[in-house]
Amino acid sequence: MSAETTRTGEDSYEGGLRKVARVVLLDPEDRILLLHGHEPDDPADDWWFTPGGGLEGAETREEAALRELAEETGITDVELGPVLWRRMCSFPFAGRRWDQDEWYYLARTTQTATAAQGLTELEQRSVAGARWWTCQELTRAHETVYPTRLAELLCRLLDEGPPASPVTLDTEIV
C-alpha cells in the first residue's frame, strides 16, 4: 500500500475504536505546541489540540507519534519520551463520530519552526495552523483545548516531571 493510499485511510474512517498516538511537544522554553483545528465546513467551530493521529498498518504507537508529528508540523528533531497520559474520547467531526483510545507521549525539541508537510485532504480542510503556548497562556485561554484539562496537566508536568506510569484521564464525550 502506498503512503498516499495509507494517508487517505484517515479520511475514510468509519467507526470502531481508533488507536491514536499524540505528542506533548515541548520546546526549550517549556512551551507546548498545539494545532488549531476546526470543523471542515465551519471554521468558527474551532479548538486547539496536540499533534498526533491514528496508527497506520502495523506501526507502533511510538512510530505513529513521530510520523504524525512530522506530517502535521514538519518537526523531526525530537526526543520521544514516556507515555504521560491515556484517554478514551468520543466526538463528532466532519459528519461522523470518532471513538479514540489516545496515548500522549512527552517529546522535546529545539526546532520551533513548523510546516505541515503531509496533511490528509481532511486535515487540509480542518487544520488552520500551529502555535506554541506557555502553561500560563493555556491557563488563561478562553479557547477550547483538548484534552480539556491540558493546562492543569501541563503545569503539573512542568512542576513535577513525568508521572512514574501513564495517568488515565477521564473519558471525554463531546
Side-chain angles (χ1 to χ4, degrees):
M1 185 178 287
S2 74
E4 184 58 35
T5 303
T6 301
R7 289 300 296 152
T8 60
E10 183 173 281
D11 292 354
S12 61
Y13 169 75
E14 293 181 6
L17 186 61
R18 185 170 181 246
K19 292 181 181 178
V20 171
R22 297 206 163 280
V23 180
V24 176
L25 185 63
L26 302 178
D27 75 359
E29 298 174 26
D30 284 336
R31 297 179 303 168
I32 185 173
L33 183 66
L34 298 180
L35 302 179
H36 190 204
H38 59 81
E39 271 294 330
D41 298 323
D42 184 6
D45 184 0
D46 68 331
W47 56 87
W48 293 88
F49 63 103
T50 58
L55 277 63
E56 294 179 356
E59 73 183 346
T60 66
R61 288 199 195 240
E62 293 87 355
E63 291 167 339
L66 293 171
R67 176 186 50 76
E68 287 283 344
L69 185 64
E71 291 170 354
E72 294 175 346
T73 70
I75 295 176
T76 57
D77 181 21
V78 298
E79 180 182 327
L80 194 62
V83 176
L84 300 171
W85 315 308
R86 292 182 63 182
R87 174 180 85 137
M88 300 294 287
C89 63
S90 180
F91 54 91
F93 174 67
R96 61 200 133 178
R97 177 146 296 271
W98 299 68
D99 298 308
Q100 300 191 157
D101 174 10
E102 299 182 337
W103 291 19
Y104 290 78
Y105 287 87
L106 175 62
R108 291 231 174 233
T109 187
T110 57
Q111 181 183 345
T112 56
T114 62
Q117 300 175 335
L119 298 183
T120 67
E121 186 272 334
L122 179 58
E123 289 169 332
Q124 290 173 17
R125 294 188 298 123
S126 61
V127 177
R131 176 182 162 200
W132 292 95
W133 296 71
T134 66
C135 186
Q136 293 74 24
E137 288 170 333
L138 266 183
T139 300
R140 294 190 306 261
H142 296 290
E143 292 92 344
T144 301
V145 177
Y146 293 110
T148 55
R149 293 177 43 225
L150 185 58
E152 170 194 337
L153 293 165
L154 178 62
C155 291
R156 180 178 303 138
L157 172 66
L158 295 176
D159 288 344
E160 302 173 7
S165 61
V167 173
T168 300
L169 305 181
D170 291 339
T171 298
E172 289 192 52
I173 300 174
V174 179

